[in-house]
mmCIF file of all heavy atoms in Angstrom:
data_model
loop_
_atom_site.group_PDB
_atom_site.id
_atom_site.type_symbol
_atom_site.label_atom_id
_atom_site.label_comp_id
_atom_site.label_asym_id
_atom_site.label_seq_id
_atom_site.Cartn_x
_atom_site.Cartn_y
_atom_site.Cartn_z
ATOM 1 N N LYS A 2 126.986 110.909 78.402
ATOM 2 C CA LYS A 2 125.661 110.538 78.823
ATOM 3 C C LYS A 2 125.196 111.482 79.902
ATOM 4 O O LYS A 2 126.023 112.013 80.645
ATOM 5 C CB LYS A 2 125.682 109.095 79.404
ATOM 6 C CG LYS A 2 125.973 107.996 78.377
ATOM 7 C CD LYS A 2 126.010 106.675 79.072
ATOM 8 C CE LYS A 2 126.372 105.595 78.057
ATOM 9 N NZ LYS A 2 126.651 104.296 78.717
ATOM 10 N N LYS A 11 123.617 101.405 84.550
ATOM 11 C CA LYS A 11 124.154 100.662 85.620
ATOM 12 C C LYS A 11 123.220 99.532 86.046
ATOM 13 O O LYS A 11 123.641 98.468 86.466
ATOM 14 C CB LYS A 11 124.354 101.598 86.850
ATOM 15 C CG LYS A 11 124.901 100.907 88.055
ATOM 16 C CD LYS A 11 124.937 101.825 89.262
ATOM 17 C CE LYS A 11 125.285 101.068 90.552
ATOM 18 N NZ LYS A 11 125.149 101.805 91.722
ATOM 19 N N HIS A 12 121.882 99.768 85.927
ATOM 20 C CA HIS A 12 120.911 98.767 86.397
ATOM 21 C C HIS A 12 120.277 98.012 85.249
ATOM 22 O O HIS A 12 119.224 97.401 85.436
ATOM 23 C CB HIS A 12 119.813 99.516 87.189
ATOM 24 C CG HIS A 12 120.377 100.158 88.424
ATOM 25 N ND1 HIS A 12 120.874 99.446 89.509
ATOM 26 C CD2 HIS A 12 120.529 101.447 88.769
ATOM 27 C CE1 HIS A 12 121.272 100.304 90.444
ATOM 28 N NE2 HIS A 12 121.078 101.531 90.018
ATOM 29 N N LYS A 18 114.590 90.656 85.225
ATOM 30 C CA LYS A 18 113.887 90.340 86.470
ATOM 31 C C LYS A 18 112.644 91.336 86.691
ATOM 32 O O LYS A 18 111.612 90.867 87.146
ATOM 33 C CB LYS A 18 114.824 90.509 87.699
ATOM 34 C CG LYS A 18 115.881 89.393 87.713
ATOM 35 C CD LYS A 18 116.851 89.660 88.817
ATOM 36 C CE LYS A 18 117.985 88.576 88.747
ATOM 37 N NZ LYS A 18 119.065 88.895 89.585
ATOM 38 N N ASP A 20 111.026 92.627 84.197
ATOM 39 C CA ASP A 20 110.056 92.140 83.185
ATOM 40 C C ASP A 20 109.269 90.946 83.743
ATOM 41 O O ASP A 20 108.027 90.890 83.614
ATOM 42 C CB ASP A 20 110.727 91.757 81.888
ATOM 43 C CG ASP A 20 111.280 92.981 81.147
ATOM 44 O OD1 ASP A 20 110.761 94.060 81.383
ATOM 45 O OD2 ASP A 20 112.190 92.807 80.301
ATOM 46 N N ARG A 23 106.769 92.170 86.205
ATOM 47 C CA ARG A 23 105.668 92.836 85.555
ATOM 48 C C ARG A 23 104.697 91.781 84.955
ATOM 49 O O ARG A 23 103.478 91.936 85.107
ATOM 50 C CB ARG A 23 106.170 93.719 84.404
ATOM 51 C CG ARG A 23 105.121 94.627 83.820
ATOM 52 C CD ARG A 23 105.657 95.491 82.703
ATOM 53 N NE ARG A 23 105.806 94.720 81.447
ATOM 54 C CZ ARG A 23 106.980 94.480 80.919
ATOM 55 N NH1 ARG A 23 108.092 94.996 81.420
ATOM 56 N NH2 ARG A 23 107.044 93.791 79.768
ATOM 57 N N ARG A 31 94.939 89.866 85.706
ATOM 58 C CA ARG A 31 93.934 89.236 84.753
ATOM 59 C C ARG A 31 93.202 88.100 85.438
ATOM 60 O O ARG A 31 92.015 87.886 85.150
ATOM 61 C CB ARG A 31 94.686 88.636 83.584
ATOM 62 C CG ARG A 31 95.264 89.693 82.601
ATOM 63 C CD ARG A 31 95.811 89.031 81.377
ATOM 64 N NE ARG A 31 96.836 89.864 80.734
ATOM 65 C CZ ARG A 31 96.578 90.915 79.946
ATOM 66 N NH1 ARG A 31 95.266 91.235 79.758
ATOM 67 N NH2 ARG A 31 97.482 91.661 79.431
ATOM 68 N N LEU A 37 91.995 94.951 92.672
ATOM 69 C CA LEU A 37 91.589 96.354 92.492
ATOM 70 C C LEU A 37 90.311 96.714 93.228
ATOM 71 O O LEU A 37 90.152 97.841 93.714
ATOM 72 C CB LEU A 37 91.315 96.627 90.974
ATOM 73 C CG LEU A 37 92.564 96.462 90.122
ATOM 74 C CD1 LEU A 37 92.213 96.648 88.612
ATOM 75 C CD2 LEU A 37 93.640 97.500 90.532
ATOM 76 N N SER A 40 90.451 98.404 96.591
ATOM 77 C CA SER A 40 91.010 99.717 96.677
ATOM 78 C C SER A 40 90.039 100.711 97.323
ATOM 79 O O SER A 40 90.463 101.853 97.594
ATOM 80 C CB SER A 40 91.351 100.189 95.296
ATOM 81 O OG SER A 40 90.161 100.299 94.543
ATOM 82 N N GLY B 18 90.789 99.041 86.038
ATOM 83 C CA GLY B 18 91.254 97.705 86.193
ATOM 84 C C GLY B 18 91.729 97.017 84.900
ATOM 85 O O GLY B 18 91.778 95.835 84.810
ATOM 86 N N ASP B 21 96.160 95.726 80.643
ATOM 87 C CA ASP B 21 97.081 96.295 79.659
ATOM 88 C C ASP B 21 97.564 97.706 80.059
ATOM 89 O O ASP B 21 98.732 98.022 79.816
ATOM 90 C CB ASP B 21 96.364 96.392 78.278
ATOM 91 C CG ASP B 21 96.190 95.023 77.651
ATOM 92 O OD1 ASP B 21 96.974 94.092 78.037
ATOM 93 O OD2 ASP B 21 95.300 94.903 76.819
ATOM 94 N N ASP B 24 100.143 97.116 82.612
ATOM 95 C CA ASP B 24 101.336 96.650 81.974
ATOM 96 C C ASP B 24 102.169 97.796 81.416
ATOM 97 O O ASP B 24 103.392 97.878 81.572
ATOM 98 C CB ASP B 24 100.998 95.646 80.829
ATOM 99 C CG ASP B 24 102.193 95.052 80.220
ATOM 100 O OD1 ASP B 24 102.884 94.266 80.935
ATOM 101 O OD2 ASP B 24 102.508 95.334 79.038
ATOM 102 N N GLN B 31 109.233 100.852 85.595
ATOM 103 C CA GLN B 31 109.992 99.866 86.334
ATOM 104 C C GLN B 31 111.477 100.129 86.459
ATOM 105 O O GLN B 31 112.002 99.964 87.630
ATOM 106 C CB GLN B 31 109.740 98.499 85.673
ATOM 107 C CG GLN B 31 110.307 98.357 84.287
ATOM 108 C CD GLN B 31 109.981 97.004 83.653
ATOM 109 O OE1 GLN B 31 109.046 96.294 84.079
ATOM 110 N NE2 GLN B 31 110.754 96.557 82.671
ATOM 111 N N GLU B 40 119.535 102.511 94.471
ATOM 112 C CA GLU B 40 120.544 103.403 94.893
ATOM 113 C C GLU B 40 120.403 103.808 96.361
ATOM 114 O O GLU B 40 121.324 104.335 96.975
ATOM 115 C CB GLU B 40 120.515 104.697 94.035
ATOM 116 C CG GLU B 40 121.060 104.482 92.648
ATOM 117 C CD GLU B 40 122.481 103.966 92.611
ATOM 118 O OE1 GLU B 40 123.333 104.379 93.380
ATOM 119 O OE2 GLU B 40 122.753 103.079 91.777
ATOM 120 N N GLU B 45 119.789 94.056 95.662
ATOM 121 C CA GLU B 45 119.015 93.753 94.492
ATOM 122 C C GLU B 45 117.642 93.111 94.857
ATOM 123 O O GLU B 45 116.619 93.593 94.364
ATOM 124 C CB GLU B 45 119.753 92.797 93.574
ATOM 125 C CG GLU B 45 118.991 92.508 92.288
ATOM 126 C CD GLU B 45 119.738 91.513 91.412
ATOM 127 O OE1 GLU B 45 120.623 90.821 91.878
ATOM 128 O OE2 GLU B 45 119.347 91.398 90.231
ATOM 129 N N ALA B 60 98.026 99.564 92.632
ATOM 130 C CA ALA B 60 96.808 98.912 92.134
ATOM 131 C C ALA B 60 95.685 98.990 93.092
ATOM 132 O O ALA B 60 94.483 99.210 92.716
ATOM 133 C CB ALA B 60 97.045 97.510 91.628
ATOM 134 N N ARG B 61 96.006 98.787 94.366
ATOM 135 C CA ARG B 61 94.953 98.757 95.370
ATOM 136 C C ARG B 61 94.412 100.190 95.694
ATOM 137 O O ARG B 61 93.247 100.312 96.093
ATOM 138 C CB ARG B 61 95.518 98.153 96.649
ATOM 139 C CG ARG B 61 95.605 96.681 96.620
ATOM 140 C CD ARG B 61 95.990 96.060 97.931
ATOM 141 N NE ARG B 61 96.059 94.607 97.810
ATOM 142 C CZ ARG B 61 96.873 93.846 98.522
ATOM 143 N NH1 ARG B 61 97.658 94.377 99.387
ATOM 144 N NH2 ARG B 61 96.849 92.564 98.363
ATOM 145 N N ILE B 117 128.052 113.556 81.237
ATOM 146 C CA ILE B 117 129.103 112.848 81.931
ATOM 147 C C ILE B 117 129.971 112.030 80.947
ATOM 148 O O ILE B 117 129.460 111.260 80.122
ATOM 149 C CB ILE B 117 128.580 111.834 82.994
ATOM 150 C CG1 ILE B 117 127.707 112.634 84.006
ATOM 151 C CG2 ILE B 117 129.648 111.088 83.724
ATOM 152 C CD1 ILE B 117 126.745 111.792 84.769
#
Side-chain angles (χ1 to χ4, degrees):
Chain A
K2 292 177 182 171
K11 180 189 172 188
H12 298 292
K18 291 174 184 170
D20 289 339
R23 191 181 74 246
R31 288 186 204 284
L37 296 176
S40 64
Chain B
D21 289 336
D24 186 67
Q31 63 184 23
E40 289 301 320
E45 184 185 13
R61 283 188 179 150
I117 302 164

